[in-house]
Each structure stands twice: as C-alpha cells, then as structure tokens.
Amino acid sequence: MSFFDKFASKLKEGIDDIKDKIDNKDEQRPEGESYNQQYQEQEYQRPPQEYQQPPQDYQRPQEQQYRPPQRHDNEEGESNNRFRSFAPQRSGNNAKWFVDGCGYMWAVSVAIEEARESIWILDWWLSPELYLRRPPSQNEQYRLDRMLLAAAERGVKVNVIVYKEVSQILTLCSEHTKHALEQHPNIAVFRHPDHAPSGQVLESGIVSSLENISFNPLKLAKLPGDGLKALYGETDDIILYWAHHEKLCLVDGRTAFMGGLDLCFGRWDTNSHPLADAHPTDINKALFPGQDFNNARVYDFEDVTNWDKNKLDRLTNSRMGWSDLSLCLQGPVVEDIRAHFAQRWNFIFKEKYDVTERKYSDLMLRREDIPDGYYQQDGTNVAGADPSRDDQQGVSVQLVRSCTKWSNGVATEHSIANAYIEVIQNSQFFVYIENQFFITATGDKQDPVKNQIGAALVERIVRAYQAGEPYKVIVCMPSVPAFAGDLHADDSLGTRAIMEFQYNSICRGGHSIMEEIQKAGVPDARQYIRFYNLRNYDRINGGSARMNIEQESGVNYEDARREHDDMVGAGYDGRGYQTGAREGQYNREYDQYQQAASQSQDSPFDTVSACYMEGGPSITDIPFSGSEEAEMDAFVSEELYIHSKVLIADDRTVICGSANLNDRSQLGTHDSEIAVVIQDNDLIDSSMAGQGIQVSRYAASLRRQLFRKHLGLLPDQDCTRPDENFLPLYQAGNAYDWGSPSDNAVADPLSPEFDDLWNRTASTNTAIFSRAFHPVPADNVRNWEEYESFYGDLFFDKKDDDEKVTEKARYAYGHVVKEEFQGGVRELKDLLAGVRGTLVEMSLDFMKDVDFAVEGLKLNAFTDDVYT
C-alpha cells in the first residue's frame, strides 16, 4: 500500500493523532500561542498573460490557437533574480554528480568524518541506523547516528531539520530520529510542522463530523473537499499533509550535498541495482540489513520503530531497486544554501522552541559567511543587495526553491517551476527529464493541476515542428509511482489516481501533452517526445548450498541472518530483532551457521545483476546450486524505482534537487523543496543531430552517465572498491571515460544511431520482461478483465468479503510465469540473456478502456490536491 493510500485509509486515525498532539508538552510553544498565527495562506496565482510570447514568425495552425506557458511569478514579486528566486545566479563554483546512493553516501561519510565545525541536515526522512558504507559488517563505524555522535564529541555542532509526519499516516517516525540523534549537547534536531498547536482547540464540529466518517479510500473520494482542506494544508494553523521534502547535508559551511537522496532506509543502492541479498555461504556479505531490505510494492515500511515487523522473506522476495541522483557543491552558491538553512532553522525556532528555558538556540551566520552582504546574519534577505559577480569562471549555479509561509515564513516562492519552464522554452535541441512523478498541465483546462511545465513542453515541440528543427524530449519515470502491488485493490485508489493524473498529463483526457501537440498540427507527437520506465531482474541464491549448511549447522539461515543484523546494530536503538546478539560475544545461530558455511565453497553469484551491465557474464553461463525447478523459482523481477528529480537541456543546463514534477513540489504553497540550476563554463566538443557544437562538461557527463546506466553500458559497481566517484568534491571531481565506445554511443542524443540503440534496447527489454514476469502496466492490458487474466489472477490470492483466502495465487509476486517456458529454466535464461540495462518502454495504453481511478467516481477537491 502506498503512502498516498495509507493517507486515505488512515486519516481517521490521523485525526485522533492530531488531538493527541494538542496535549504534547515536549516540543510545543507555551500554551495559548497559536502556530503560525500571524500569517494567512495565499492562493496560487496564475502568471501574467504577457510573459514570453513565441517568436513573431511562429505561425500557429488554424485548428489550434495555443496559449504559451506562463512563468509562475512569486506572490509579492519581491525578487528581481533570475527565475524570481530569493538567491542570485552565482559563478565560480564547482559541482560533482553522484548517480545512485552508493557513491553519494560514501562521499557524505567522508565529509562527516572530516567535519570540524558544523553539520547541517535537511531531510524528509532520516534513519539514524542507516549505513553510509556497505557491507555493514565491515563498516560499523559508518552508521549515521554513530558518525554524527563522533562528530559532536570532537566539537562539531550538528543541526538537523526533519519533516514531522502525522504518525498514523506515515511511518517515518521522526520522533525516533530526534531522540536517537540527540545524544550529545552539540546535536539539535527540529521536527516541523506541528499538526495542531498546544492550547489550540480544533473546531468541535469538524472533529465530531470526522469521527463519524468511514475513511475507506473510496468513501473519502466522495467527501466534500472544503470541510477537509483545513486539515491538510489550506490554513497555516494546521498542516496535516504538506511535507518538508528537501534533502541537504552542509558540512563546515563549505561543502553541500543535495539532490533526491534522503539519508534513510531504502535509498542506498549501486548502479547495477541488485534485487537479491541472500548470502548463504557468508552472511557478512549482506548489504541491506533489516528494513533497508525493502520492497514497498509488497510491504511498505510498516513500523520503522519496530523493524522486526519487516515481513519480506529474503529467500522468496526481491527488494525494489532505487535509481536516484544527488550532487556536491562548493563555491559562492554555498552562501545561499547556508542562508536558506538559517531561514528554515530560525523560522522553526521562533515558532516552537523560543521559550524561557532554552534547550535550543537560533542560528546566526558569521559575517565572513556573507561577504557580499546579501543576507542578514539570521539568513533573511537584505533588500536591494547586489551580490558580487567578479568571478565569471567555473560553474554557474543558482539555488531555487518551493516554499511559502507555512514552510519557511516567507511569501510564496516557486522559482523551481519558473526555472523548469524557462529552461524548456530556451532549449535548442533536446530535454531529458528523469523524475518520480509527471503531473502537469498544458493550459487552464486540466483542473486541479496548475503547474505549466507541460505547456512549456508543448510550445517548444510545436515551435520545433513549425521550424523544421530536430528536437526531442525523453522522459524516464516509474511505471507505478506510489508502490501499490495489486492495482485493483480498493486500498490502491491513491496510486490509481496518481497514475490517471499522469496519463492525463501525457496522452489522455483531451488536453494532454501528446494530444495538444497533435492538435497543433504535428502528425506524430512520439517523434518528439517519448516516455520510458526502468525494470530489472535478479536470482535469489537460496538453493542446495544453503540447505546443506543449514543441515550441517542445525541453524536456519534466516535465524542466523537476524542475529547478524542485530550484531551490526541495524535496528532502532539497537533492538532490531531482539535476539540479544552483539559483537564480541558468542551468538549461537550466527556463529554456528558461519562456522559451517566457512567449510563450503564461496558463491560469487549471490546476485546476477552484473549480467545486464557492461562486461558482465551471460546469465546462461552462471551455475546454480539446486534443481532446475528451484532455479526457475529463484528468478525475480521488479520495477526499478526512479526517484531522481533532474532536467538536462542541450547538455548545457542541469536542474537537480528534491522537487518532483507535480503540483505538490512545484507550486510553492504545498511541499517545500530546493534545487539548483547548473551551467558549466567548461565547454567540450560534441554533436547534436550530427552537427558539431560545444556543450557543458558537467551536464554532458551526467546525461551520458545516466543514459549508459539505463542501457547497460556501465560496468557492475562494486561497493567495496571506491573510486573517484565515491569521494566528495574537494577530494576528486567526477571520473568519466570520455571517448570510450560506450561514451560515443550516447554522445549525440539526436543521431539515428542513438535513437535506434535507445528504442531497440527499450523494446527488447520490454518484450522479455513481459513474457517472463507479466508485469503491469502493460499495453496489452486495457481493462480489468485483461488485468486479472494477465496479472492479478497469477500473483494475488482471491478473498471473500471476510478477507478469507478462497483461491491461492499461482505464483509468488514478482516471480517467473513458468507456463511461458515449456523448455524450462534453460529457455528462460536464454531469453533473459537478451536483457541489456534496465530501460523499458512506458505503457501508454494501459487501462485506457476504463476509468482507471474509480469507475463512475470523480475525485473531490481534497483528494485532487493531495494526489497532484
């Protein structure tokens, strides 16, 4: 069940939680003081009509008078900076990318280990027990809480801001984060926002009416929205559902890490994204301890404070791979990052913690941290200040954000949305978008969706078509954006709603991007814009080698593995599975199993994820210690979840940060976000559509690295062998093999050769996965009958009204559909040998013949805003 579906199904419990918070004394302002009482929410304003019209010679087709997209000006228009950001564009910076969590978290660990003055962290979720280096058995000192405590003990001031969730709706347990980290006077953790202030009484009529409502997701969608809006972010007094979504780690005020990766469970991963983590011949090789081994489409983080509730059986289930992107920055832009953090910290401090007996204090910037006088020492902007622009070398970086009064105590700013629109409109050759969501509008006819990024894409594509110019947009996004396993289940309404909003943004509903492009006279929109997902496979090593060791040791593998996880302290407060296992003592199950395992031949194939990467072995050559039937059952597949939030234009401009492509992230009044716009002055020779041009070294290397990973043109990444791409920026820049055959294959994204490679790979992978694993979404599934026949009947039990199983599923979720392979596992492996990388086509015809969200039911204003 996705967190959106949890929100719907548990909102009743959330209301009870809100009432409980009223009496909470540990973090609230003195009784009687209203939370954020001095502010009033301002509605999102549509931008002015006159902004950036198309060129005068641009002739619109007669059948479509297209209105160009508009920039979303800030409510009070107080900033004259580009994109109306609170921060100016700054030159003279350095930037480094990190594709996926393995290298990124290693680099963060280096910076934290070397910190001497301060560590400032913003996160949506922070898991104190997260290991920044793997495997945990070899890196126990690199658990995040231990690293922060060690820093505090050597005098480093640690300031952390995390999103304070409604505990009955989301299981992030920020309360645990706060208490687990605050083990030293130098560590301070703020949680925000409060969902009801101390001493403030909810309107009794609202509470009593909510108490009598059944909060089934289907019934929730039928409720009038107005009475609920005040409970999830439409007033400043109670913020129930909008979130702080930023991700930032700033070390010593000089080195900033930011992007899409939270420092939390489920985010660490390598470029090859192994799905299996069973290690029968050496448990110490385990990479994903406890709930870090997660597949939210099977079981989401049910109760992170008691992580033994993790129901995933590692000998049966796969994890879900996590594809993500973050970066490291140094230079003048860090001044703006420092100021932003200080603004956030001081805003929360004044609302929650500024009491007579202070455990906490406000945060003041040093004068040397603001050399151009652009900010006050409390981080607020100085009116009329003009930042120094002397250094025009290096990388140009500008900080942009989404924030408002509830989240940051400022007028609404949506400079991220402004940046997206302007960069798209000014792009010359292509735009690459990789994002967790894709919900956007092409005008004012797709209520409730307001952001106009889709309109910018339509206008730019139509302009390219009219001018006869080569132009392309490539979008990569998750196939299922919100984790639901069985999309037909009632509690998957939230996921279906999001998917329907996305399809209406892309290709359905009458005003989607593709429909508007074709209305404007473009014969085939797919010649200009295409959509893709990611998927991979693996093989769980649970064969006869494990069974032999279990028999020899008299210990079950899972019992030994749980003791191992407790030994590395991967559970909350060290409790874990409560086996009592600890380093330096005799641990019966673990020690006996490992002793027997040491007598067995070590297996190099606990994962086969290297098989679809560059230089990897063929799956047909990899042995298995067990029967052919057992090997067939050991293969698993899952979508590779895209969590990146990046746009790359022309290999010259990069927008990267925490913001999703939807209203929640882009409008400014909803979730809080930060991002950067990067333009590198270090130019290299390249080509677009066969024409020689110069591009940015930073943007080009990042885009090519991403494309090569998706196409399987990168080697398997070994997390125990760090290279330059595991280090913070001040130790090494990005390592990239310019001019290699794989680099040349992706250098020109508009060439026919690249187009053939990209689409052939996606098409081949899609066909293989469809036959072997029957995943959805799929183009051959257009209604619920086809859904059940192709997918639902195979992988999910049938239940009666009392939730009793009446018919068992034919296959375990994510496993091979064996009836497709009369030739057995050899036929399967011959087929899987054709998979390269993880790129697959996005199904645009999936469920197109039905009302996908709920037949005959329209979502109301409440659910609309939450899901978009």
Side-chain angles (χ1 to χ4, degrees):
M1 186 189 301
S2 78
F3 54 84
F4 293 98
D5 300 316
K6 285 184 179 178
F7 173 74
S9 64
K10 293 191 176 182
L11 185 58
K12 176 66 164 64
E13 299 171 67
I15 300 304
D16 295 336
D17 184 66
I18 290 171
K19 293 187 293 179
D20 291 341
K21 298 296 183 185
I22 293 176
D23 297 324
N24 184 4
K25 305 295 185 183
D26 66 328
E27 292 188 277
Q28 307 296 333
R29 292 177 61 87
E31 187 168 330
E33 292 192 23
S34 174
Y35 172 85
N36 211 16
Q37 61 188 4
Q38 67 270 44
Y39 297 122
Q40 292 182 349
E41 186 72 49
Q42 296 188 30
E43 291 292 331
Y44 173 84
Q45 301 293 317
R46 288 207 173 270
Q49 296 294 321
E50 68 272 15
Y51 174 71
Q52 198 161 346
Q53 299 291 336
Q56 293 182 354
D57 58 355
Y58 171 49
Q59 301 295 319
R60 295 189 180 89
Q62 185 68 32
E63 67 270 25
Q64 174 70 5
Q65 294 299 313
Y66 187 76
R67 185 171 66 184
Q70 311 298 324
R71 183 171 68 182
H72 309 316
D73 284 338
N74 293 353
E75 290 174 357
E76 297 180 7
E78 75 284 355
S79 173
N80 292 319
N81 293 324
R82 187 178 64 159
F83 311 131
R84 296 294 179 91
S85 171
F86 85 108
Q89 185 178 0
R90 296 190 187 267
S91 57
N93 300 281
N94 289 318
K96 180 176 184 176
W97 45 255
F98 295 92
V99 175
D100 296 317
C102 175
Y104 174 73
M105 292 186 187
W106 187 295
V108 171
S109 77
V110 172
I112 291 176
E113 193 170 43
E114 297 179 351
R116 293 296 175 263
E117 297 177 0
S118 63
I119 299 170
W120 296 354
I121 297 175
L122 298 175
D123 261 325
W124 176 73
W125 181 19
L126 186 150
S127 301
E129 295 78 15
L130 175 73
Y131 275 86
L132 300 180
R133 300 187 190 184
R134 311 289 169 104
S137 60
Q138 299 174 22
N139 294 283
E140 292 188 41
Q141 70 271 36
Y142 294 106
R143 205 174 79 170
L144 181 56
D145 57 348
R146 294 169 182 165
M147 295 203 73
L148 294 179
L149 180 59
E153 288 174 342
R154 61 178 185 266
V156 176
K157 297 289 187 179
V158 179
N159 297 70
V160 179
I161 304 174
V162 292
Y163 165 54
K164 183 180 181 181
E165 80 289 1
V166 177
S167 60
Q168 298 299 329
I169 296 173
L170 291 172
T171 55
L172 308 182
C173 201
S174 61
E175 182 180 9
H176 165 72
T177 298
K178 179 179 179 65
H179 294 309
L181 292 185
E182 287 188 334
Q183 300 298 312
H184 191 280
N186 283 342
I187 302 177
V189 180
F190 283 2
R191 299 194 295 151
H192 190 262
D194 285 345
H195 307 293
S198 177
Q200 183 175 348
V201 180
L202 296 175
E203 290 290 337
S204 59
I206 295 177
V207 173
S208 61
S209 63
L210 289 172
E211 286 175 340
N212 295 320
I213 290 174
S214 172
F215 278 79
N216 177 280
L218 299 183
K219 295 181 180 179
L220 174 63
K222 298 177 183 178
L223 295 174
D226 292 343
L228 294 169
K229 282 187 176 182
L231 294 175
Y232 75 99
E234 291 297 313
T235 73
D236 289 305
D237 287 340
I238 304 170
I239 306 299
L240 177 62
Y241 200 65
W242 304 140
H244 289 301
H245 196 241
E246 300 156 70
K247 301 93 169 58
L248 170 69
C249 180
L250 179 61
V251 179
D252 287 341
R254 292 185 290 273
T255 304
F257 297 89
M258 60 178 291
L261 282 156
D262 290 283
L263 297 177
C264 69
F265 287 152
R267 304 310 193 253
W268 187 96
D269 210 345
T270 69
N271 290 164
S272 39
H273 304 287
L275 302 181
D277 196 36
H279 305 271
T281 60
D282 186 359
I283 297 174
N284 288 333
K285 291 182 178 180
L287 297 178
F288 304 94
Q291 283 222 46
D292 216 3
F293 184 87
N294 176 255
N295 186 338
R297 294 196 66 187
V298 181
Y299 293 111
D300 202 354
F301 294 97
E302 292 282 340
D303 184 352
V304 294
T305 57
N306 295 288
W307 72 310
D308 56 303
K309 299 290 182 64
N310 187 344
K311 303 173 185 176
L312 279 182
D313 180 352
R314 296 169 195 237
L315 299 175
T316 303
N317 298 114
S318 77
R319 61 181 289 271
M320 177 184 284
W322 198 269
S323 184
D324 216 329
L325 175 66
S326 283
L327 49 85
C328 182
L329 297 168
Q330 287 189 311
V333 70
V334 178
E335 176 182 341
D336 306 308
I337 296 172
R338 287 192 300 261
H340 173 73
F341 187 94
Q343 287 181 20
R344 285 280 317 274
W345 183 271
N346 291 330
F347 170 63
I348 299 170
F349 172 75
K350 291 173 183 176
E351 288 201 334
K352 292 184 61 174
Y353 300 102
D354 188 8
V355 294
T356 304
E357 295 182 7
R358 293 187 180 183
K359 178 181 177 182
Y360 306 102
S361 61
D362 56 2
L363 198 60
M364 302 300 288
L365 302 176
R366 299 173 302 188
R367 294 194 181 279
E368 57 264 34
D369 292 334
I370 39 178
D372 52 19
Y374 199 76
Y375 301 102
Q376 305 281 2
Q377 285 187 273
D378 64 357
T380 56
N381 291 70
V382 174
D386 185 21
S388 173
R389 302 171 187 268
D390 295 334
D391 183 3
Q392 298 302 315
Q393 301 302 310
V395 180
S396 168
V397 184
Q398 184 178 10
L399 187 65
V400 288
R401 61 186 186 177
S402 295
C403 58
T404 192
K405 294 181 174 109
W406 82 259
S407 59
N408 215 52
V410 298
T412 299
E413 179 179 334
H414 27 65
S415 50
I416 298 175
N418 295 342
Y420 266 76
I421 289 172
E422 290 193 29
V423 169
I424 290 168
Q425 289 177 321
N426 294 330
S427 61
Q428 292 181 268
F429 303 103
F430 85 96
V431 166
Y432 176 63
I433 295 172
E434 189 169 303
N435 206 288
Q436 182 184 3
F437 294 99
F438 193 89
I439 299 177
T440 185
T442 60
D444 58 4
K445 297 180 180 179
Q446 289 169 284
D447 187 70
V449 182
K450 298 179 178 68
N451 81 81
Q452 297 293 300
I453 294 169
L457 290 168
V458 172
E459 188 274 331
R460 183 62 189 92
I461 289 170
V462 171
R463 180 153 41 98
Y465 171 75
Q466 291 293 320
E469 300 169 343
Y471 189 80
K472 181 185 294 184
V473 177
I474 295 175
V475 180
C476 284
M477 55 190 286
S479 61
V480 179
F483 303 142
D486 183 5
L487 293 170
H488 205 174
D490 283 351
D491 60 9
S492 295
L493 170 63
T495 300
R496 297 200 303 272
I498 294 168
M499 293 177 72
E500 186 158 281
F501 279 120
Q502 293 192 151
Y503 280 126
N504 288 343
S505 298
I506 295 168
C507 60
R508 301 178 192 171
H511 301 285
S512 67
I513 289 172
M514 288 187 166
E515 290 168 309
E516 291 298 314
I517 289 170
Q518 293 182 185
K519 286 179 189 177
V522 181
D524 183 4
R526 298 200 313 163
Q527 295 298 313
Y528 289 91
I529 183 168
R530 296 284 295 272
F531 293 81
Y532 303 88
N533 309 138
L534 303 178
R535 173 168 283 275
N536 60 334
Y537 77 89
D538 209 337
R539 190 185 67 183
I540 299 171
N541 190 10
S544 58
R546 172 187 59 84
M547 291 184 285
N548 292 338
I549 296 170
E550 287 180 334
Q551 185 174 6
E552 178 69 21
S553 65
V555 176
N556 179 275
Y557 171 81
E558 277 293 279
D559 290 339
R561 194 271 305 167
R562 279 188 282 269
E563 281 202 346
H564 161 272
D565 287 2
D566 280 357
M567 289 167 61
V568 299
Y572 277 89
D573 291 335
R575 292 196 305 267
Y577 295 101
Q578 297 184 342
T579 64
R582 295 288 185 272
E583 278 287 351
Q585 70 178 36
Y586 177 70
N587 303 293
R588 179 186 175 278
E589 279 78 7
Y590 169 81
D591 287 331
Q592 287 189 194
Y593 186 94
Q594 285 289 85
Q595 176 60 34
S598 67
Q599 307 303 313
S600 302
Q601 184 176 356
D602 189 30
S603 170
F605 301 117
D606 292 338
T607 172
V608 297
S609 56
C611 292
Y612 45 77
M613 302 301 288
E614 185 173 72
S618 171
I619 188 62
T620 59
D621 296 332
I622 295 182
F624 182 78
S625 64
S627 67
E628 291 189 359
E629 181 76 8
E631 184 177 15
M632 178 80 86
D633 290 337
F635 280 97
V636 289
S637 178
E638 184 55 271
E639 76 163 306
L640 173 52
Y641 196 74
I642 296 172
H643 193 256
S644 318
K645 297 93 168 56
V646 63
L647 180 149
I648 303 173
D650 300 332
D651 280 358
R652 292 171 176 164
T653 303
V654 175
I655 304 175
C656 180
S658 65
N660 291 316
L661 206 162
N662 57 10
D663 277 1
R664 289 182 62 99
S665 289
Q666 298 289 336
L667 297 189
T669 54
H670 296 177
D671 293 354
S672 65
E673 311 281 4
I674 53 171
V676 286
V677 183
I678 301 176
Q679 294 166 313
D680 188 2
N681 293 318
D682 183 4
L683 303 180
I684 61 171
D685 293 331
S686 187
S687 62
M688 293 286 171
Q691 298 180 354
I693 65 166
Q694 286 196 313
V695 298
S696 153
R697 182 180 297 274
Y698 181 87
S701 61
L702 171 57
R703 196 269 304 167
R704 296 182 191 188
Q705 184 84 355
L706 289 168
F707 279 19
R708 288 172 62 180
K709 188 186 79 155
H710 301 336
L711 292 168
L713 297 177
L714 289 179
D716 181 46
Q717 186 178 36
D718 186 343
C719 67
T720 66
R721 297 183 177 180
D723 57 22
E724 291 95 327
N725 291 333
F726 284 59
L727 300 176
L729 177 59
Y730 60 83
Q731 291 192 358
N734 282 120
Y736 186 78
D737 56 341
W738 300 99
S740 67
S742 294
D743 172 57
N744 292 335
V746 300
D748 186 344
L750 296 183
S751 71
E753 294 80 9
F754 170 80
D755 190 68
D756 176 69
L757 171 65
W758 184 265
N759 287 310
R760 177 166 38 85
T761 300
S763 175
T764 299
N765 289 348
T766 301
I768 292 172
F769 284 121
S770 181
R771 179 185 170 195
F773 300 100
H774 283 219
V776 293
D779 279 335
N780 62 314
V781 175
R782 302 188 181 196
N783 54 54
W784 288 119
E785 290 75 18
E786 292 173 349
Y787 174 91
E788 294 297 341
S789 175
F790 182 75
Y791 180 71
D793 288 344
L794 301 180
F795 299 111
F796 299 101
D797 296 339
K798 300 299 179 185
K799 299 180 181 179
D800 60 20
D801 293 340
D802 296 325
E803 293 297 303
K804 293 182 179 179
V805 175
T806 59
E807 183 179 346
K808 294 287 292 182
R810 288 150 64 184
Y811 303 105
Y813 171 82
H815 284 247
V816 173
V817 179
K818 291 189 283 188
E819 60 206 63
E820 295 277 3
F821 299 95
Q822 299 303 310
V825 73
R826 292 184 181 181
E827 183 182 358
L828 170 66
K829 292 171 78 170
D830 285 341
L831 181 70
L832 292 177
V835 172
R836 302 307 307 162
T838 58
L839 188 71
V840 293
E841 296 170 327
M842 180 172 178
S843 168
L844 298 185
D845 289 336
F846 179 61
M847 303 302 288
K848 67 180 296 186
D849 295 340
V850 298
D851 182 344
F852 185 42
V854 181
E855 198 152 346
L857 177 66
K858 296 297 181 183
L859 300 176
N860 59 30
F862 172 69
T863 50
D864 280 347
D865 282 355
V866 169
Y867 297 141
T868 58

